[in-house]
Amino acid sequence: MGELSPFHETFGYYAQGVSVSTAVLPEGWRERIIIVETPNTAPGRGHCLDPHDCVVSKLVAGRTKDFAFADALVHERPVDPEILRDRIETLETHPMIVQRLRSWITMHLPAS
């Protein structure tokens, strides 16, 4: 299902698995996992991050493509910047990374 795989070529999108030891995730992410399980996925099932948790993790990674991904989800509104702000505050990572994420969130909050 990875990038440039036959699945990607057939359906126009791909998925990448990430180890929980690699990703930096907000507190409580395990309780928000979304299970994807249908007759079409049998015998397997997917364990997917809550969209907000996924975006926080992408913002921590901080690659250009991660910021573009986060921008798109905030713009299209399946992700709420207020929830991202709350989740960022639960991260166990370097304070400079948290500050970078706070700045990004501030730019994406609606004007009051």
Side-chain angles (χ1 to χ4, degrees):
M1 289 184 63
E3 189 172 14
L4 305 177
S5 68
F7 181 93
H8 182 197
E9 291 174 10
T10 301
F11 298 104
Y13 65 95
Y14 63 93
Q16 293 177 327
V18 177
S19 167
V20 294
S21 65
T22 306
V24 176
L25 293 160
E27 184 177 299
W29 68 270
R30 289 181 191 273
E31 290 77 38
R32 294 185 293 268
I33 287 288
I34 299 163
I35 304 294
V36 177
E37 184 174 30
T38 71
N40 292 332
T41 65
R45 65 183 182 168
H47 293 237
C48 303
L49 289 174
D50 165 271
H52 295 89
D53 294 336
C54 180
V55 167
V56 167
S57 183
K58 292 287 193 180
L59 292 172
V60 170
R63 298 168 296 217
T64 301
K65 69 179 185 174
D66 298 322
F67 286 111
F69 177 78
D71 282 332
L73 290 180
V74 168
H75 179 74
E76 294 299 323
R77 303 207 173 145
V79 168
D80 181 342
E82 293 284 354
I83 294 172
L84 293 176
R85 182 171 60 184
D86 293 342
R87 302 252 173 108
I88 285 167
E89 296 306 319
T90 71
L91 289 171
E92 292 186 18
T93 191
H94 195 282
M96 289 177 67
I97 293 174
V98 173
Q99 187 54 49
R100 176 173 46 88
L101 273 56
R102 286 178 184 142
S103 296
W104 188 92
I105 291 295
T106 298
M107 292 185 327
H108 288 81
L109 287 172
S112 36

